[in-house]
Amino acid sequence: MAKLLPQVLKGFRVYLPEVMIPRQRMLRTIAEVFERFGFVPLDTPALEYAELLTGKYGDEGEGLLYRFADHGGRQIALRYDLTVPLARVMGGHPELPIPFKRYQIGPVWRAEKPGRGRFREFSQCDVDIVGSTSMVADFECLQVDAAVLRALGLERFRIRVNNRKLLDGILEHHGCTTPDRVVATLRAVDKLEKAGQEPVIALLVQEAGWDAAAAADLLQQLAGSTLDFPFTNPRLEEGRQELSQLFTLAARVGIEPYLGLDLTIARGLDYYTGTVFETFLTDLPGFGSVMSGGRYDGLVGLFRSQPLPAVGISLGVDRLLAGLTELGLLPPVRSTARVLLAVFGPETLGETLLVAAELRAAGIPTEVFPSEGGKLGKQYKYADQKGISVVGLVGPEEQTANTVKLKVLADQRELTVPRAALVSEVLGLLQG
Amino acid sequence: MAKLLPQVLKGFRVYLPEVMIPRQRMLRTIAEVFERFGFVPLDTPALEYAELLTGKYGDEGEGLLYRFADHGGRQIALRYDLTVPLARVMGGHPELPIPFKRYQIGPVWRAEKPGRGRFREFSQCDVDIVGSTSMVADFECLQVDAAVLRALGLERFRIRVNNRKLLDGILEHHGCTTPDRVVATLRAVDKLEKAGQEPVIALLVQEAGWDAAAAADLLQQLAGSTLDFPFTNPRLEEGRQELSQLFTLAARVGIEPYLGLDLTIARGLDYYTGTVFETFLTDLPGFGSVMSGGRYDGLVGLFRSQPLPAVGISLGVDRLLAGLTELGLLPPVRSTARVLLAVFGPETLGETLLVAAELRAAGIPTEVFPSEGGKLGKQYKYADQKGISVVGLVGPEEQTANTVKLKVLADQRELTVPRAALVSEVLGLLQG
């Protein structure tokens, strides 16, 4: 057969071990935090009936669906997010205990134009509480957000919180009440951080029917950081109370230092109905939000006779990974093994395998160079390439003396240790 | 919007928490064993250029590809296994250290006719050593196979080992040497366990050009369990030596009790070139192999100028999960939380959240019922539904006295403990 080009589709990527090892450690830590709060894992298919996904993501989103006909002529599509599948599960499984607190980590597919940091296959990591209208649920999302980042070694971050009802109340004061105008207004406001004041005013005028003076007035109100306004209405009052409750609980539990009120946080998606928040790393300004979410009380009802309120967080797996890497909190790791056992030759192979078994039993991940011997230089080089710091060797002398020769690659130090002391010596070298 | 039917595509499934929790625990244990042997994780895209996947799985396999044109008109397909993507990665990344020992766990897609235990989306879990011709690599696969099952609590299993070269040598003795006849013969022999003697003889006659007497003779030779034959040839000798070496190493390292020679193990896939093995659970006869694999020295070369030998294992995630469940080794778990804190009312909510934080900090996964209070009966029922054994409550009395009321749902026992003793009391109840 002719040789094949080892091509990867544009917008897709292979995760090599040096990325996968830290990525997997990060995801395990995240899952542990979710489970510490009692969230349970859920998994849903990659493929869905296309009609399940259409009409949920706006025209632009819908055009990005990987959609095709299967062998039976059914119109199917790769999932676009993890939220619509969750809503479907809630619809199909009335037996699930409510509130239902689940997390899901997995890839989603969108046929975006590939670009810097933008891929056609990327992982989402969602945690949601379905079935509670209480601010206790919203507050738990903020707690989980902070707990995840702290578990990953971050202390300098800010969760910027807002409320859609409060925004609605403010817009109502300005006479902006029709759904289309509200959506267009919130979408424009959501661009404030990235685009700046003037372009957003222009957008508000062009897309959302504001006059320039009122738009400037609005942006000034949103730039404040208190909940005091010179006007009020029931909608605004409701949002204000919800936010107050969140900040009161945060003060009580000690996560207030991580929170900030930010009236410009609107979140682009239409389906948010109350609390909305985004999370920024203080030491990476301009990096964008690493975790965001909010309350969406309408979506789950699409698949059920009874609506179900919901609030959740979506974590940007690859963005967070990039951030942690940039901040030096997730050093690259090329190997899962801490020790390589080189193989001297066939006559000492059996003993070498027994030494490996002993180290593994002591919890030390150990690799045996898969050969019956051969050049030791090549085997040492392999350890070095993989960043394995200790190489062990059982040659004929060591076998007779019941010892193992250990070499620390960093400083080329060599020592010969009795088998009885092997595990403690290796542990010492790995810590040292 | 009209209500939507919460439909899942036929042949696909949702993993609800009660399945996902034990499944995830199983996969974590498996990954830990892989890493203990120094295997590193790798991830590859779900979608590939279709031409990468065609011509690899036989006509039957190729018809099962989910194949379509993307937005740019490229012919693409969902991956069918994890082996071809590995071969592609080896071709595209000459910088990877050789030997390359990787594992990958993830879904693959095949448009099979759905049936009992047969799905269109299912997970594969592969571990491979690329770049070593040594039997040390083959032996490590057998070691990993046994170590995985033992880590999952299994002791009664048998890894049945054979060698394609040995089989080739035996077939050569019978004059069966053309590639087509060899492939057809091995495919027939591979069905022996499931189909029995007579149907396989019929297959050998019809599909592989044997006469019935020679076919019966062959099956009798394969039924033996020694490496002694009344004939020999270089190919047979090579296979015999490879197998001897494996069994010698196994005796030395103490995994011999888990191994058995079985000359009828052929493995259906064309690409195996040496060692082949399958793993059966002694207490589940007729259940089929839970881990299988072998050496395939030709495949990786399709994507490289230089060929690379390889040997690996594929683990049937869902079959193994079913087996462990049937044997009672993986009890169903419906909750990640061990404690539920019920909420008495708004006045004790803050204190309740502090109690939760304290339990979590002590490593006890704890859920807070997301409400500001309401019926306690409903909250206790929720704990019961989720299989959470201990419910804690801070009411006004407990708040004043700085205590927490604990209830053990199994026996309805109630006790009130001082906050200072909370963690140790809860740990005691959870162990008891």
Side-chain angles (χ1 to χ4, degrees):
Chain A
M1 191 184 286
K3 297 284 172 179
L4 289 162
L5 264 187
Q7 271 186 303
V8 177
L9 281 164
K10 212 173 146 189
F12 290 75
R13 64 199 140 165
V14 167
Y15 289 99
L16 293 176
E18 66 202 67
V19 179
M20 267 304 272
I21 297 171
R23 187 172 191 273
Q24 202 161 275
R25 288 186 184 166
M26 182 187 87
L27 289 175
R28 277 181 198 161
T29 300
I30 292 169
E32 268 166 36
V33 173
F34 292 164
E35 297 192 0
R36 205 192 297 157
F37 281 82
F39 289 88
V40 290
L42 177 79
D43 204 11
T44 64
L47 288 167
E48 299 278 3
Y49 279 103
E51 63 167 19
L52 220 81
L53 308 186
T54 50
K56 309 288 185 307
Y57 306 115
D59 289 347
E60 203 182 315
E62 200 151 317
L64 304 179
L65 285 174
Y66 279 96
R67 192 178 165 157
F68 60 103
D70 75 1
H71 298 65
R74 283 169 288 260
Q75 281 294 319
I76 62 177
L78 284 163
R79 70 181 173 213
Y80 181 91
D81 70 5
L82 304 175
T83 309
V84 170
L86 168 64
R88 195 268 317 282
V89 169
M90 297 312 301
H93 294 276
E95 79 281 10
L96 288 172
I98 299 289
F100 184 64
K101 295 171 58 175
R102 84 87 179 80
Y103 70 92
Q104 184 171 357
I105 303 174
V108 299
W109 294 269
R110 300 178 185 178
E112 304 256 17
K113 199 175 158 67
R116 208 166 161 249
R118 199 164 55 232
F119 290 90
R120 291 178 166 168
E121 175 180 68
F122 59 95
S123 280
Q124 286 201 336
C125 171
D126 281 16
V127 48
D128 294 86
I129 303 174
V130 180
S132 168
T133 53
S134 167
M135 278 303 109
V136 176
D138 303 55
F139 177 68
E140 182 157 292
C141 289
L142 300 179
Q143 262 190 305
V144 168
D145 184 320
V148 161
L149 295 181
R150 296 181 71 194
L152 292 168
L154 285 160
E155 278 296 332
R156 291 169 52 77
F157 59 88
R158 194 92 172 159
I159 309 174
R160 300 193 200 156
V161 189
N162 197 7
N163 188 295
R164 277 281 180 101
K165 292 174 189 165
L166 185 84
L167 283 175
D168 284 350
I170 297 171
L171 298 190
E172 190 183 320
H173 165 74
H174 287 277
C176 171
T177 53
T178 60
D180 281 0
R181 269 195 77 198
V182 170
V183 165
T185 301
L186 294 181
R187 285 213 180 129
V189 168
D190 191 54
K191 299 202 163 84
L192 200 55
E193 170 96 13
K194 269 192 197 162
Q197 183 113 348
E198 289 310 317
V200 170
I201 290 179
L203 265 179
L204 286 169
V205 171
Q206 286 155 31
E207 310 275 335
W210 290 70
D211 71 60
D217 197 22
L218 172 71
L219 293 192
Q220 203 187 338
Q221 275 153 12
L222 299 183
S225 58
T226 74
L227 291 172
D228 299 321
F229 300 94
F231 52 85
T232 190
N233 56 49
R235 196 89 183 125
L236 186 147
E237 210 43 55
E238 210 182 324
R240 194 212 304 264
Q241 273 172 25
E242 292 186 358
L243 279 167
S244 300
Q245 203 183 341
L246 287 183
F247 280 92
T248 305
L249 289 175
R252 187 73 206 275
V253 177
I255 66 160
E256 208 186 14
Y258 303 109
L259 300 192
L261 177 69
D262 184 340
L263 303 178
T264 70
I265 297 293
R267 311 274 299 124
L269 287 169
D270 306 356
Y271 57 63
Y272 288 105
T273 55
T275 305
V276 283
F277 58 92
E278 299 196 341
T279 312
F280 298 90
L281 304 181
T282 314
D283 296 321
L284 296 176
F287 193 74
S289 169
V290 292
M291 291 177 81
S292 52
R295 176 167 283 280
Y296 53 102
D297 286 345
L299 189 66
V300 178
L302 294 180
F303 296 96
R304 287 171 62 101
S305 48
Q306 306 277 308
L308 268 181
V311 58
I313 315 174
S314 201
L315 182 152
V317 175
D318 293 296
R319 184 177 286 178
L320 186 55
L321 185 71
L324 291 170
T325 305
E326 202 166 325
L327 293 171
L329 290 168
L330 208 61
V333 183
R334 279 164 291 154
S335 176
T336 50
R338 307 293 309 276
V339 174
L340 173 76
L341 290 180
V343 177
F344 183 88
E347 69 279 23
T348 62
L349 173 59
E351 192 64 17
T352 303
L353 291 172
L354 286 174
V355 169
E358 192 179 330
L359 291 172
R360 287 176 193 136
I364 304 166
T366 299
E367 198 170 330
V368 175
F369 194 86
S371 78
E372 280 106 287
K375 290 185 188 149
L376 288 175
K378 188 176 133 194
Q379 301 185 49
Y380 283 91
K381 194 182 155 205
Y382 170 79
D384 198 42
Q385 276 183 302
K386 289 192 71 178
I388 300 176
S389 52
V390 174
V391 180
L393 180 73
V394 180
E397 270 176 56
E398 288 81 14
Q399 181 157 256
T400 307
N402 205 22
T403 59
V404 180
K405 195 197 264 183
L406 298 174
K407 184 167 182 173
V408 183
L409 291 192
D411 56 11
Q412 299 289 308
R413 193 161 28 120
E414 281 195 359
L415 61 167
T416 299
V417 303
R419 276 294 292 280
L422 176 68
V423 167
S424 62
E425 288 283 350
V426 168
L427 286 173
L429 292 176
L430 291 176
Q431 279 155 16
Chain B
M1 191 184 290
K3 297 282 172 181
L4 290 162
L5 264 186
Q7 271 187 304
V8 177
L9 282 163
K10 211 171 145 190
F12 290 76
R13 65 200 140 165
V14 168
Y15 288 99
L16 293 177
E18 65 202 67
V19 179
M20 266 305 271
I21 297 171
R23 187 172 190 273
Q24 201 161 277
R25 287 185 184 166
M26 181 187 89
L27 289 175
R28 277 182 198 159
T29 300
I30 292 169
E32 268 166 36
V33 173
F34 292 163
E35 296 192 359
R36 206 193 296 157
F37 280 82
F39 289 88
V40 290
L42 177 79
D43 203 11
T44 64
L47 288 167
E48 298 278 3
Y49 279 103
E51 63 166 18
L52 219 81
L53 308 186
T54 50
K56 309 288 186 305
Y57 306 114
D59 289 347
E60 203 183 315
E62 199 152 318
L64 304 179
L65 284 174
Y66 279 97
R67 193 180 163 155
F68 60 103
D70 74 2
H71 299 65
R74 283 169 288 260
Q75 281 294 318
I76 62 177
L78 283 163
R79 69 183 174 212
Y80 181 91
D81 70 5
L82 305 175
T83 309
V84 170
L86 168 64
R88 194 269 317 283
V89 170
M90 297 312 300
H93 295 276
E95 79 281 11
L96 288 172
I98 299 289
F100 184 64
K101 295 170 59 175
R102 82 90 179 79
Y103 72 91
Q104 184 171 355
I105 303 174
V108 299
W109 295 270
R110 300 179 185 178
E112 303 256 16
K113 200 176 160 67
R116 205 164 164 252
R118 201 166 53 233
F119 291 91
R120 291 178 167 168
E121 175 181 68
F122 59 95
S123 280
Q124 286 201 336
C125 172
D126 280 17
V127 47
D128 294 87
I129 303 174
V130 180
S132 168
T133 52
S134 167
M135 278 303 110
V136 176
D138 304 55
F139 176 68
E140 183 157 292
C141 289
L142 301 180
Q143 263 190 304
V144 168
D145 184 319
V148 161
L149 295 180
R150 296 182 70 193
L152 293 169
L154 286 160
E155 278 295 331
R156 290 168 53 75
F157 60 88
R158 193 91 172 159
I159 309 173
R160 300 194 200 154
V161 189
N162 197 5
N163 187 296
R164 277 280 180 102
K165 292 175 189 165
L166 185 84
L167 283 174
D168 284 349
I170 297 172
L171 298 189
E172 189 183 319
H173 165 74
H174 287 277
C176 171
T177 54
T178 60
D180 281 359
R181 272 196 74 199
V182 169
V183 165
T185 301
L186 294 181
R187 285 211 180 131
V189 167
D190 190 52
K191 300 202 163 85
L192 200 54
E193 171 95 13
K194 270 194 197 159
Q197 183 113 349
E198 289 310 318
V200 169
I201 291 179
L203 266 178
L204 286 169
V205 171
Q206 286 156 31
E207 310 275 335
W210 290 70
D211 71 62
D217 196 23
L218 172 71
L219 293 191
Q220 203 187 339
Q221 275 152 12
L222 298 183
S225 58
T226 75
L227 292 171
D228 299 321
F229 301 93
F231 51 86
T232 190
N233 56 49
R235 196 90 181 126
L236 186 147
E237 211 43 56
E238 211 181 324
R240 192 211 306 259
Q241 274 173 24
E242 291 186 357
L243 279 167
S244 300
Q245 204 185 339
L246 287 184
F247 281 91
T248 305
L249 290 174
R252 187 71 205 276
V253 176
I255 65 159
E256 208 186 15
Y258 304 109
L259 301 191
L261 177 69
D262 183 341
L263 303 179
T264 69
I265 297 293
R267 312 274 299 121
L269 286 168
D270 305 356
Y271 57 62
Y272 288 106
T273 55
T275 305
V276 282
F277 58 93
E278 299 196 341
T279 313
F280 299 89
L281 304 182
T282 313
D283 295 321
L284 295 176
F287 192 73
S289 167
V290 293
M291 292 177 81
S292 53
R295 177 167 282 280
Y296 53 102
D297 286 346
L299 189 66
V300 177
L302 294 180
F303 296 96
R304 288 170 63 100
S305 49
Q306 306 278 308
L308 269 180
V311 58
I313 315 174
S314 202
L315 182 151
V317 175
D318 292 297
R319 183 177 288 177
L320 186 54
L321 184 71
L324 290 170
T325 305
E326 201 165 327
L327 293 171
L329 290 168
L330 209 61
V333 183
R334 280 165 291 154
S335 177
T336 50
R338 308 293 309 276
V339 174
L340 173 76
L341 290 181
V343 177
F344 183 89
E347 69 279 23
T348 61
L349 174 59
E351 191 65 16
T352 303
L353 291 172
L354 286 174
V355 169
E358 192 180 331
L359 290 172
R360 287 176 193 138
I364 303 166
T366 300
E367 199 171 330
V368 175
F369 194 86
S371 78
E372 280 105 288
K375 290 184 187 148
L376 288 176
K378 188 176 132 192
Q379 302 186 49
Y380 283 92
K381 193 180 155 209
Y382 170 79
D384 199 40
Q385 276 183 302
K386 290 191 71 178
I388 300 175
S389 51
V390 175
V391 180
L393 181 72
V394 181
E397 271 177 54
E398 287 81 14
Q399 181 157 253
T400 308
N402 206 23
T403 59
V404 179
K405 196 197 264 183
L406 298 174
K407 184 167 181 174
V408 183
L409 292 192
D411 56 11
Q412 298 290 309
R413 192 160 31 119
E414 280 194 1
L415 62 166
T416 299
V417 304
R419 275 291 293 279
L422 175 69
V423 166
S424 62
E425 288 283 349
V426 168
L427 286 173
L429 292 177
L430 290 175
Q431 279 153 16

